[in-house]
Amino acid sequence: MSGYVILEMEISDKNQLVEYKKLAGPTLKTYGGKVLVGSGEQIPLEGDWVSDRIVIIEFDSVEIAKEWYLSLIHISE
């Protein structure tokens, strides 16, 4: 069964995001991750919720999704 990571991002420093993507992006290939949604603009159909960015990544299993996520801890330190 597939596993998904859903990221809601508040971007305070776009340069830092670019550097993070350079480091985290290649790890997706290692873990077989596939970005399904990588939004910039959002149009809420109900309520007033808006985030800077939503990313949804699919992995082959929940276990692999967790492994990928945990592998990023050292990147953000």
Side-chain angles (χ1 to χ4, degrees):
M1 180 168 86
S2 295
Y4 299 88
V5 173
I6 302 171
L7 305 168
E8 177 186 7
M9 299 179 184
E10 184 177 317
I11 301 168
S12 58
D13 183 340
K14 290 187 179 188
N15 291 328
Q16 191 175 23
L17 176 63
V18 169
E19 289 304 311
Y20 183 82
K21 286 168 64 174
K22 284 181 189 177
L23 296 171
T27 66
L28 288 175
K29 185 175 183 179
T30 301
Y31 288 86
K34 178 181 175 186
V35 176
L36 301 178
V37 175
S39 72
E41 180 183 3
Q42 300 156 40
I43 303 169
L45 299 178
E46 290 188 27
D48 58 0
W49 174 78
V50 177
S51 178
D52 289 344
R53 183 171 299 256
I54 298 292
V55 179
I56 300 174
I57 307 168
E58 180 180 41
F59 294 88
D60 288 340
S61 70
V62 172
E63 292 77 18
I64 295 172
K66 287 179 185 178
E67 287 176 22
W68 174 79
Y69 181 76
L70 294 172
S71 78
L72 299 179
I73 291 173
H74 74 279
I75 289 175
S76 62
E77 294 177 340

